[in-house]
């Protein structure tokens, strides 16, 4: 049974637990959140060396390890000086902001990591504003002070100014901050004096971040902010207990959307310990708990006392900014590589995703075989598509579109804050490309050989821009963006300049057929690949589409002449990632996604049908 150590809060009738700290770790992408958690785990003294193998220990998802980013928020618990510290690692990409918004409701404080060289970035501003909205106590951690280009004191000033801009005056009088290097394994109050451990950070977490405030006499209330799944026990509800106590076998009222409620019995109660969860007899107010046995629970529900039923405010997240149409794969290769190919299976999978992905929205379309899916960005939806294809689904995905709003009769579109870190000699290319897509320069800051450029740009202009920026800067640009505001819609934005090569036949691609094509195009296929009529096999050097035959073979004769045979040398094909393919296609094209391949194709496969449609103005 858990014991509660608490201190009274004067004049409120409530008390604060002193044996627990609930802390979220928030930052911009690549500022070192997960690496810092690795360091804290290793120095906590609770693990053997064999238990903590490799880097980014919490990035256990295959996609997270492959991409080197955090996608899902995760909970762990460490013990330090008799206090249980519940740490919540959050994603840094703006596209996964929905994960951050809901888990902040579980915390009382936040470690705000800022790169000592880059300073506060767009996502830093976003997550810090959300933390202040939830009244969390922030600790500013200036990380990576061992970088050669680090400027820790300047970065601290910038973080202070950011807090002022966001209305964090209530924390400025104290303003707890510390300098650290997760790679070096130490935290220090003076960046000029290297430390030897993370103990100063542990101490600051206990001193500066308050324990959870509880009312011992209030009835049970717990807000569900996350869902997990087990093949053995089914759905697991994760959330913070605001008041009351939860025990195994206890009957509770599950308060759901539309003011509906139902009586349910809790099968098991788990609390977080180290890297996982352990079953507990009970969990009390202030704990982060996981409940087994609530089969119909969804994110935002309240676990309440069955007699005095009270709901907590549901989890709300910002509106989506991008939409795509997910449809079944109806190409000639349908069913060859995938396990789930019907619209019913697609509908069930999207419904399941809605239960735990609060930033996602799904709406039906005119077609029974397709659904319109709304998300935070191309990366947000592409991670869902990649997950589904690995599960065995076959899909066809349309070109991404921005979500428009109407405000007092004025059509508004989303604008984003775009930050590009680029070498000084490549700055001109960036300015030209972003300017062509109606990006407005907001701020420019030079650091040694690199320049940070901040733009305000319509979200439409970002679709396909990343690939062009990387090509123009030879891969040296670092690009970040986040949602900024809705504003009146801008004018047209130029689309893709080049047409495509479309296969006019089905069959196996051969080198002889590609040899004549590569002179006027960039190829997407290699000899041995299979193609079908309507499949896109390359990019044309001109602006119009061209029907080609990549399966063309050399005619065989019984005559042999000297010099007629030549050695065919083909350029390597352009291999597109899922995000690149989604940003590349135009309105009349689709991305065909299967467990084994990503192909580009025309919506209308037959060339005669496409010509007929063009004549009709379609």
């Amino acid at each position: 049974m858990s014991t509660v150590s608490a201190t009274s809060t004067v004049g409120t009738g409530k008390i604060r637990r002193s044996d627990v700290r609930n802390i979220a770790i928030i930052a911009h992408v690549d500022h070192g959140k997960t690496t810092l958690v690795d360091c804290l785990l290793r120095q906590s003294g609770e693990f053997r060396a064999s238990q903590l193998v490799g880097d980014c220990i919490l990035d256990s998802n295959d996609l997270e390890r492959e991409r080197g980013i955090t996608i899902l928020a995760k909970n762990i618990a460490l013990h330090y000086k008799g206090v249980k510290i519940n740490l919540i690692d959050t994603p840094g990409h703006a596209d996964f902001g929905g994960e951050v918004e809901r888990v902040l409701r579980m915390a009382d404080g936040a470690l705000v990591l800022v790169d000592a060289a880059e300073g506060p970035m767009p996502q830093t501003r976003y997550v810090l504003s959300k933390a202040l909205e939830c009244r969390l106590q922030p600790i500013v951690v200036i990380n990576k002070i061992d970088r050669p280009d680090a400027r820790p004191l300047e970065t601290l000033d910038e973080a202070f100014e950011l807090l002022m801009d966001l209305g964090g005056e209530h924390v400025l009088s104290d303003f707890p901050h510390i300098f650290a290097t997760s790679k070096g394994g130490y935290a220090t109050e003076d960046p000029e004096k290297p430390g030897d451990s993370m103990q100063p950070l542990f101490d600051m977490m206990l001193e500066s971040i308050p324990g959870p405030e509880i009312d011992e006499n209030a009835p049970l209330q717990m807000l569900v902010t996350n869902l997990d799944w087990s093949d053995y026990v089914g759905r697991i509800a994760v959330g913070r207990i605001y008041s009351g106590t939860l025990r195994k076998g206890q009957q509770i009222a599950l308060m759901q959307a539309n003011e509906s409620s139902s009586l349910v019995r809790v099968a098991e109660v788990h609390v977080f310990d180290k890297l996982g969860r352990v079953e507990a007899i009970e969990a009390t107010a202030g704990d982060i708990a996981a409940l087994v046995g609530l089969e119909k629970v969804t994110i935002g529900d309240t676990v309440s006392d069955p007699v005095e039923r009270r709901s907590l405010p549901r989890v709300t997240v910002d509106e989506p900014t991008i939409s795509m149409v997910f449809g079944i794969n109806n190409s000639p290769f349908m069913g060859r590589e995938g396990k789930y190919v019907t619209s019913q299976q697609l509908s069930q999978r999207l419904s399941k995703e809605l239960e735990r992905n609060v930033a996602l929205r799904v709406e039906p379309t005119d077609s029974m075989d397709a659904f319109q899916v709304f998300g935070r960005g191309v990366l947000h939806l592409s991670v869902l598509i990649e997950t589904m294809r690995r599960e065995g689904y076959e899909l066809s995905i349309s070109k991404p579109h921005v979500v428009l709003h109407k405000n007092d009769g004025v059509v508004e579109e989303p604008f984003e804050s775009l930050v590009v870190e680029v070498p000084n000699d490549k700055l001109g290319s960036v300015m030209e490309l972003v300017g062509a897509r109606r990006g407005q320069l907001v701020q420019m800051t030079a650091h040694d050989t690199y320049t940070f450029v901040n733009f305000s740009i319509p979200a439409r202009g970002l679709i396909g821009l990343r690939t062009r920026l990387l090509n123009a800067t030879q891969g040296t640009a670092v690009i970040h963006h986040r949602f900024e505001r809705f504003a009146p819609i801008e004018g047209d934005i130029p689309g893709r300049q080049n047409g495509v090569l479309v296969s006019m036949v089905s069959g196996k691609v051969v080198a002889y057929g590609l040899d004549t094509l590569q002179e006027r195009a960039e190829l997407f296929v290699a000899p041995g690949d299979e193609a079908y009529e309507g499949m896109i096999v390359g990019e044309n050097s001109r602006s119009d589409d061209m029907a080609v035959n990549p399966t063309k073979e050399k005619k065989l004769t019984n005559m042999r002449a000297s010099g007629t045979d030549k050695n065919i040398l083909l350029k390597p094909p352009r291999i597109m990632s899922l995000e690149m393919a989604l940003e590349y296609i135009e309105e009349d094209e689709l991305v065909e996604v299967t467990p084994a391949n990503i192909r580009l194709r025309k919506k209308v496969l037959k060339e005669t049908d496409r010509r007929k449609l063009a004549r009709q103005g379609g």
Side-chain angles (χ1 to χ4, degrees):
M1 187 175 286
S2 62
T3 58
V4 177
S5 171
T7 56
S8 173
T9 305
V10 179
T12 63
K14 296 184 178 181
I15 60 173
R16 282 199 179 275
R17 289 185 62 175
S18 56
D19 62 334
V20 172
R21 299 291 187 275
N22 298 322
I23 303 172
I25 302 181
I26 57 179
H28 188 81
V29 64
D30 286 338
H31 280 202
K33 296 178 304 300
T34 308
T35 309
L36 178 70
V37 174
D38 288 356
C39 193
L40 295 176
L41 287 170
R42 290 193 167 94
Q43 294 192 21
S44 65
E46 296 192 284
F47 302 93
R48 299 187 306 273
S50 60
Q51 291 178 282
L52 303 173
V53 179
D55 298 324
C56 298
I57 297 162
L58 291 194
D59 285 349
S60 52
N61 185 302
D62 288 342
L63 273 177
E64 291 178 322
R65 288 204 167 274
E66 288 172 19
R67 294 168 181 257
I69 59 174
T70 301
I71 295 172
L72 302 172
K74 302 173 189 68
N75 297 62
I76 62 167
L78 302 175
H79 296 86
Y80 180 71
K81 293 184 178 179
V83 177
K84 181 180 182 180
I85 303 175
N86 288 309
L87 287 177
I88 309 164
D89 185 23
T90 64
H93 272 279
D95 287 28
F96 307 113
E99 287 280 313
V100 182
E101 289 174 61
R102 58 186 173 83
V103 299
L104 288 180
R105 295 280 294 272
M106 293 194 284
D108 299 293
L111 297 184
V112 184
L113 265 68
V114 184
D115 190 299
E118 295 182 359
M121 298 289 277
Q123 185 70 354
T124 314
R125 171 179 286 272
Y126 172 78
V127 292
L128 184 55
S129 67
K130 293 297 179 184
L132 293 174
E133 281 178 24
C134 295
R135 308 298 292 177
L136 304 189
Q137 169 64 51
I139 293 178
V140 175
V141 182
I142 307 300
N143 196 27
K144 302 188 182 181
I145 59 172
D146 54 342
R147 281 183 59 162
D149 55 348
R151 44 188 191 90
L153 296 178
E154 290 178 49
T155 301
L156 181 64
D157 290 341
E158 292 171 5
F160 187 85
E161 291 170 7
L162 178 60
L163 269 170
M164 289 180 63
D165 290 346
L166 296 175
E169 291 84 0
H170 60 287
V171 298
L172 290 180
S173 56
D174 185 16
F175 189 57
H177 63 273
I178 199 164
F179 303 91
T181 163
S182 307
K183 208 171 180 180
Y186 67 84
T188 176
E189 295 182 0
D190 185 351
E192 300 297 326
K193 297 178 182 177
D196 55 7
S197 73
M198 283 289 176
Q199 185 176 343
L201 179 56
F202 276 114
D203 291 336
M204 186 172 283
M205 285 193 278
L206 299 192
E207 293 165 7
S208 301
I209 293 179
E213 189 177 62
I214 62 172
D215 185 347
E216 287 188 308
N217 301 317
L220 171 66
Q221 274 188 313
M222 168 182 158
L223 181 67
V224 178
T225 52
N226 203 356
L227 290 179
D228 204 349
W229 173 266
S230 166
D231 292 334
Y232 300 101
V233 297
R235 197 174 296 183
I236 301 171
V238 179
R240 172 175 166 172
I241 304 173
Y242 284 86
S243 58
T245 302
L246 273 168
R247 297 181 181 86
K248 180 179 180 178
Q250 178 177 339
Q251 190 177 53
I252 57 95
L254 185 62
M255 314 295 291
Q256 299 191 285
N258 303 321
E259 299 183 357
S260 63
S261 63
S262 57
L263 289 174
V264 190
R265 195 168 297 278
V266 177
E268 294 176 11
V269 177
H270 294 248
V271 294
F272 288 88
D273 185 55
K274 300 180 183 177
L275 293 177
R277 294 188 296 261
V278 292
E279 189 172 352
I281 298 172
E282 69 172 23
T284 57
D287 286 333
I288 295 175
L291 307 182
V292 175
L294 314 184
E295 293 181 6
K296 297 182 180 179
V297 67
T298 59
I299 289 174
D301 292 351
T302 300
V303 174
S304 173
D305 183 85
V307 178
E308 192 172 339
R309 303 187 182 189
R310 297 186 304 160
S311 291
L312 288 161
R314 292 189 70 83
V315 177
T316 57
V317 298
D318 288 347
E319 290 291 306
T321 58
I322 290 285
S323 74
M324 301 178 193
V325 175
F326 285 32
I328 62 169
N329 178 23
N330 56 4
S331 81
F333 292 170
M334 178 187 70
R336 283 194 185 185
E337 300 162 355
K339 183 178 174 184
Y340 306 109
V341 296
T342 67
S343 58
Q344 183 179 2
Q345 290 166 334
L346 176 59
S347 174
Q348 290 171 349
R349 178 63 180 83
L350 291 175
S351 298
K352 182 181 174 184
E353 187 67 24
L354 284 172
E355 293 175 359
R356 57 185 305 168
N357 196 335
V358 292
L360 199 73
R361 206 167 73 221
V362 178
E363 294 180 359
T365 64
D366 296 336
S367 169
M368 295 291 290
D369 296 333
F371 304 87
Q372 191 157 18
V373 183
F374 299 82
R376 283 288 184 84
V378 174
L379 181 62
H380 179 209
L381 294 180
S382 71
V383 166
L384 170 60
I385 296 166
E386 182 66 34
T387 305
M388 291 175 66
R389 73 180 281 234
R390 293 184 182 205
E391 293 171 359
Y393 287 84
E394 288 193 7
L395 307 165
S396 60
I397 314 294
S398 75
K399 179 182 174 65
H401 291 94
V402 299
V403 179
L404 302 178
H405 279 200
K406 269 196 174 181
N407 186 11
D408 295 330
V410 178
V411 179
E412 294 183 336
E413 67 175 333
F415 277 68
E416 306 233 351
S417 173
L418 171 68
V419 175
V420 184
E421 179 187 351
V422 62
N424 296 332
D425 59 329
K426 304 285 195 309
L427 180 59
S429 302
V430 172
M431 300 291 285
E432 183 181 352
L433 281 168
V434 178
R437 287 167 171 259
R438 299 190 177 271
Q440 299 291 322
L441 180 64
V442 175
Q443 187 180 12
M444 185 185 296
T445 311
H447 295 311
D448 296 332
T449 59
Y450 275 77
T451 300
F452 286 87
V453 201
N454 193 346
F455 300 94
S456 178
I457 183 172
R460 283 180 300 143
L462 284 175
I463 298 173
L465 180 61
R466 177 181 293 272
T467 304
R468 288 176 174 83
L469 285 177
L470 291 175
N471 288 341
T473 60
Q474 284 78 52
T476 55
V478 180
I479 304 150
H480 303 294
H481 61 88
R482 72 166 181 89
F483 173 75
E484 189 177 46
R485 70 189 193 282
F486 277 95
I489 194 166
E490 294 271 354
D492 292 336
I493 288 174
R496 191 179 68 206
Q497 302 299 314
N498 299 75
V500 290
L501 304 185
V502 187
S503 176
M504 61 171 68
V505 294
S506 299
K508 190 164 283 191
V509 175
V510 294
Y512 183 81
L514 297 180
D515 185 36
T516 53
L517 297 179
Q518 69 174 351
E519 298 172 4
R520 67 190 85 178
E522 186 175 2
L523 301 174
F524 298 160
V525 293
D529 292 346
E530 284 195 279
Y532 55 80
E533 184 178 5
M535 178 174 154
I536 297 171
V537 295
E539 180 180 84
N540 196 2
S541 58
R542 298 182 180 180
S543 59
D544 54 338
D545 296 343
M546 183 166 61
V548 298
N549 181 7
T551 66
K552 182 181 178 182
E553 295 181 333
K554 184 180 179 182
K555 289 188 171 62
L556 299 178
T557 69
N558 59 356
M559 303 294 291
R560 185 183 178 100
S562 175
T564 56
D565 291 334
K566 72 170 184 175
N567 185 27
I568 295 175
L569 297 175
L570 293 176
K571 292 181 290 186
R574 186 202 295 183
I575 306 298
M576 288 196 186
S577 66
L578 181 57
E579 287 88 6
M580 290 171 64
L582 291 171
E583 293 183 340
Y584 182 82
I585 58 173
E586 289 297 335
E587 295 294 342
D588 63 335
E589 297 164 1
L590 297 171
V591 178
E592 177 188 341
V593 179
T594 71
N597 287 290
I598 295 171
R599 302 182 182 95
L600 306 183
R601 50 161 287 191
K602 289 291 185 180
K603 284 183 180 178
V604 180
L605 296 179
K606 290 188 175 294
E607 184 189 1
T608 53
D609 293 342
R610 291 198 300 275
R611 286 183 177 175
K612 190 184 299 181
L613 203 62
R615 285 196 297 270
Q616 295 169 355

